[in-house]
Amino acid sequence: RGIAFGLKTQKENGAWGLNADPYLSALALKTICLADDTLPSVIKATDFLLSAQNPDGSWITHQKIWVFTDNEGDVWQSTDNQMVISTALCVDALKAVLKKC
């Protein structure tokens, strides 16, 4: 059911997320690579990730990578300002594509 949801929520340009985010798209791509009969969606997602890559080879996300609220109501959160997490996830998703194809 999770893979079906992922396939249903893919945007026309191959991305996922409200603003076609590479980080969210890479997460979804890794998931749909687990299933058979998803090659058209995998190709669209791969095309999106490659088109969203920065000239220096990195990918950027504006998503919060981590959020934690402690018992006192303080909120701790992390973003990927250095583009390390989003880039690593996109590379890993593309590696999953190579294994599938």
Side-chain angles (χ1 to χ4, degrees):
R1 287 181 14 200
I3 292 169
F5 177 80
L7 292 169
K8 183 174 71 172
T9 57
Q10 186 178 26
K11 296 186 177 305
E12 190 62 36
N13 68 351
W16 283 267
L18 188 59
N19 296 316
D21 188 86
Y23 173 78
L24 297 176
S25 297
L27 287 171
L29 177 56
K30 284 189 56 96
T31 302
I32 66 168
C33 278
L34 297 172
D36 295 329
D37 301 325
T38 59
L39 193 56
S41 291
V42 167
I43 291 169
K44 282 174 48 175
T46 300
D47 288 344
F48 168 74
L49 282 183
L50 293 175
S51 71
Q53 189 175 24
N54 295 320
D56 68 357
S58 68
W59 283 268
I60 189 168
T61 184
H62 300 289
Q63 298 294 314
K64 293 176 184 170
I65 302 299
W66 176 80
V67 178
F68 173 75
T69 304
D70 67 16
N71 293 336
E72 298 173 8
D74 292 330
V75 178
W76 299 75
Q77 59 189 9
S78 177
T79 57
D80 189 24
N81 294 336
Q82 302 299 314
M83 300 178 283
V84 173
I85 296 170
S86 54
T87 298
L89 184 59
C90 288
V91 168
D92 193 48
L94 293 171
K95 183 179 173 185
V97 170
L98 288 175
K99 287 182 181 178
K100 182 174 182 69
C101 298

